Amino acid sequence: MKNRRGLLQGVVIGLLLLAVAVTSYGVQQGLAQDAKAQATIEKAFPSSSKCKRCHERVFEEWETSPLSRSIHTPTFRAALDAYLTSSAGKDKALCFRCHAPHVREFADQAQLFVTQAQSGEPSLDGVACVQCHLIKQVDRTKQPPEPKYDIGSKTMYGPYKDFAQNLAHQSMELGLFHKSDLCLNCHQVVPAAADLGKGNDLLGNWDQSKAVKSGKECQTCHMPEQVGESANGEAKRKVANHTFPGRIGQLRQEAAKLEVSTKVDGEKTTVTVAVQSLVPHNLPTTHPGWASVVLELEIKGKNLKTVFNDKRVYGRTYADAKGQKTVFDFEAVKVLEETVLKPEEKRVETFTFTTPKDTKTFDVEAVLSYAPVTGPAAFLQRIEAESSKGAQDPVFQSIPIAKFSENVPIAR
Ligand code: HEC
Ligand code: HEC
Ligand code: HEC
Ligand code: HEC
Ligand code: HEC
């Protein structure tokens, strides 16, 4: 009896050990395969850490830019999961086509990109150096425009004709690097579940804007020219700022102007706010789907107490296949409402309210800002859980663009 039990126990333990061994062998095999796949990918698309050695200035600028975090943010992780678990989420490579575009050359490794992004600390790059500097052509006849990568050639394409030689790579001048075309393959259109007119267009009629007609390209504003070292120890020359100023940075002050006028007419007061966009493309650009800019008006009366407030939202509202509103552009089949500020548009908003009582003056405050992330509660909770900063993650804060305030006397 005792012996048979012992035998049984032995068999059970043996089977368990075998199972553990098989699983861990499987896991190790999997890890080894992933490491091998990553090495193959990085042979074709060398890691940015390889460039840092000689291009320290550029690397440090890029590292502070949102581009360096294109598959790292808690929001991207949460949105990627929302996509993969939705009925639209069949193509695992879709999001990476722009967020880590080397996936285009390694379509069969899409799962590796997903696993790395989900880990929260991907060692694969997102939009890094060679993801731009190996592009030798952009095909704008495609929607979205498609980059052609020159992999395995050891040539870095860039803006200089008179480049200094170096031991790591060949260099070649390409006009593309001074042109918006380079940026358009990721910034012009996002593929959508259904045909939303011209695909899901992000920029609007940017090419008809005054700025673009006067010769400005995306780089003029988003990679401003400066003087510095293009490679460590090289003579100073004209270089391009790689911090990619956008929502963060000085450029924001050039986004819009507010002109406010207030008319007190007895019991009734009317405030007119003209929002002048100075941006030669849509403001905001409409991906991700929750992107919006908000104009808030607040009136403070006696004892600085708020007596009136109201707002206008500039963005795009989508509906999914069931006709429900959705912030996820990947499942959008219809645009319900479009209020984005068009390129260089001036939008005039009127607010009417009862003139504040028991006071000789009142304050008018108008603020234009990028709104925080919005969406279903589960999605917001997921971002919070994914972020090391929790509810303090910057995506939950609005970013002010322009402010106006004045004190208005009430004539007796
Ligand atoms: C391979 C795709 C790709 C290309 C090419 C690309 N971008 Fe981007 N860009 C992105 C992604 C993805 C993000 C968002 C990163 C994030 O926040 O996670 C981004 C973010 C930005 C931002 C920050 C936006 C903000 O909200 O603050 C700016 C500015 C920008 N890109 C400008 C450019 C310019 C200028 C070019 C061309 C020289 C360019 N990009 C080319 C993919 C690309
Ligand atoms: C056609 C290129 C393209 C595709 C495809 C694309 N994105 Fe983006 N994505 C961008 C660009 C460009 C930005 C920066 C936009 C800006 O700041 O105005 C961006 C920004 C974002 C952001 C905000 C920045 C951040 O990292 O928190 C999220 C989230 C995001 N994308 C999620 C996704 C998901 C999920 C998918 C797949 C369903 C996807 N994107 C597919 C180009 C793309
Ligand atoms: C989103 C695309 C993009 C990314 C990412 C990017 N670059 Fe560039 N880079 C450009 C463009 C465009 C120019 C030329 C801009 C111009 O002259 O108008 C440029 C210029 C350069 C130059 C020559 C002038 C200078 O600014 O020093 C070097 C060197 C360079 N990049 C290296 C890098 C390295 C290294 C990285 C990664 C740390 C990187 N780039 C990331 C697009 C990019
Ligand atoms: C051994 C040092 C070294 C390494 C490593 C290196 N570079 Fe360079 N690179 C240089 C030098 C030197 C120049 C010439 C700069 C000049 O002429 O001002 C240069 C020029 C460039 C240019 C400008 C080419 C042109 O014609 O406009 C680009 C783009 C570039 N490098 C990208 C990269 C990228 C991306 C990596 C990483 C994959 C990298 N470099 C790694 C030294 C290096
Ligand atoms: C005349 C200057 C100018 C040009 C040219 C320009 N932009 Fe912008 N862009 C701005 C300003 C100003 C803002 C708004 C303030 C900010 O976010 O910094 C902005 C915002 C952005 C943002 C982030 C904010 C958002 O709404 O999501 C992206 C991404 C962007 N631009 C991409 C591009 C691309 C791609 C091109 C080329 C097709 C381009 N821009 C051309 C001035 C310019």
Side-chain angles (χ1 to χ4, degrees):
M1 184 72 186
K2 211 177 173 186
N3 270 346
R4 269 177 63 195
R5 199 145 127 214
L7 189 69
L8 201 67
Q9 264 175 5
V11 169
V12 169
I13 291 170
L15 283 175
L16 278 174
L17 284 176
L18 186 70
V20 168
V22 167
T23 328
S24 79
Y25 178 73
V27 168
Q28 268 167 28
Q29 280 286 84
L31 285 178
Q33 263 167 21
D34 279 1
K36 218 173 129 200
Q38 181 159 352
T40 310
I41 295 170
E42 290 182 342
K43 201 159 174 239
F45 289 89
S47 150
S48 52
S49 57
K50 294 256 158 52
C51 322
K52 183 181 180 184
R53 185 155 65 89
C54 299
H55 294 290
E56 226 160 302
R57 186 212 104 244
V58 183
F59 184 90
E60 278 166 13
E61 287 173 356
W62 166 82
E63 207 177 19
T64 67
S65 80
L67 283 158
S68 72
R69 297 182 28 85
S70 61
I71 55 170
H72 305 61
T73 67
T75 320
F76 179 74
R77 269 194 310 282
L80 177 66
D81 267 10
Y83 167 70
L84 292 174
T85 52
S86 77
S87 57
K90 294 191 186 74
D91 175 5
K92 281 186 186 168
L94 180 88
C95 308
F96 297 98
R97 294 176 76 77
C98 303
H99 286 264
H102 28 324
V103 81
R104 292 167 182 268
E105 308 292 330
F106 295 93
D108 52 335
Q109 294 298 339
Q111 183 55 46
L112 177 64
F113 286 77
V114 171
T115 310
Q116 287 235 349
Q118 284 174 338
S119 78
E121 285 174 349
S123 52
L124 272 176
D125 273 329
V127 185
C129 317
V130 296
Q131 280 70 10
C132 283
H133 287 289
L134 280 175
I135 297 179
K136 70 163 183 235
Q137 198 198 324
V138 172
D139 181 356
R140 277 190 65 190
T141 63
K142 299 271 169 43
Q143 283 284 21
E146 272 181 19
K148 297 258 181 303
Y149 281 101
D150 189 8
I151 52 175
S153 82
K154 288 243 181 262
T155 300
M156 292 299 148
Y157 298 96
Y160 299 144
K161 199 179 223 144
D162 56 338
F163 46 80
Q165 300 290 342
N166 76 84
L167 294 173
H169 62 80
Q170 325 253 292
S171 297
M172 194 182 287
E173 183 212 20
L174 253 195
L176 177 66
F177 281 78
H178 296 299
K179 292 245 170 300
S180 299
D181 293 40
L182 179 72
C183 320
L184 291 176
N185 77 78
C186 299
H187 281 274
Q188 186 173 25
V189 192
V190 178
D195 188 25
L196 298 172
K198 298 196 282 176
N200 197 353
D201 157 68
L202 308 180
L203 297 171
N205 287 331
W206 60 281
D207 47 356
Q208 301 304 310
S209 67
K210 277 187 273 172
V212 171
K213 283 188 167 163
S214 74
K216 293 195 171 136
E217 309 282 342
C218 313
Q219 290 89 330
T220 318
C221 302
H222 294 291
M223 296 189 80
E225 195 178 287
Q226 59 192 36
V227 172
E229 278 182 2
S230 70
N232 305 355
E234 293 294 324
K236 291 206 168 142
R237 61 189 301 179
K238 274 185 196 161
V239 297
N241 185 306
H242 278 69
T243 64
F244 295 93
R247 266 159 223 254
I248 24 181
Q250 294 283 324
L251 186 63
R252 211 163 69 241
Q253 291 161 12
E254 285 158 44
K257 264 196 330 227
L258 299 178
E259 289 158 26
V260 183
S261 72
T262 305
K263 213 173 119 219
V264 182
D265 188 7
E267 292 279 277
K268 206 181 81 180
T269 295
T270 305
V271 174
T272 310
V273 183
V275 184
Q276 172 68 63
S277 169
L278 306 171
V279 179
H281 48 72
N282 285 348
L283 182 65
T285 62
T286 44
H287 166 77
W290 56 83
S292 55
V293 163
V294 182
L295 172 69
E296 285 169 291
L297 182 79
E298 193 170 355
I299 306 299
K300 291 175 176 167
K302 194 181 173 191
N303 299 331
L304 291 179
K305 221 177 123 220
T306 300
V307 291
F308 176 81
N309 61 341
D310 201 358
K311 66 178 179 184
R312 301 286 185 268
V313 178
Y314 308 121
R316 196 178 277 169
T317 317
Y318 302 95
D320 63 15
K322 293 188 197 122
Q324 307 279 342
K325 271 192 193 176
T326 178
V327 296
F328 299 125
D329 49 10
F330 52 77
E331 60 181 17
V333 298
K334 205 174 149 206
V335 172
L336 290 178
E337 207 188 356
E338 164 100 26
T339 52
V340 291
L341 298 167
K342 301 289 176 200
E344 298 163 352
E345 180 185 348
K346 182 175 193 166
R347 185 83 56 94
V348 180
E349 306 285 4
T350 314
F351 303 88
T352 305
F353 50 92
T354 309
T355 306
K357 302 218 164 43
D358 309 324
T359 174
K360 288 194 184 108
T361 68
F362 61 90
D363 289 335
V364 176
E365 289 176 15
V367 182
L368 186 74
S369 43
Y370 286 109
V373 60
T374 55
F379 172 60
L380 300 178
Q381 280 155 15
R382 182 65 202 281
I383 300 176
E384 202 178 311
E386 287 284 340
S387 173
S388 60
K389 300 196 180 107
Q392 304 308 314
D393 191 273
V395 284
F396 297 115
Q397 260 111 65
S398 57
I399 307 172
I401 297 171
K403 283 185 189 180
F404 172 93
S405 67
E406 69 173 347
N407 184 262
V408 179
I410 305 174
R412 293 285 141 191

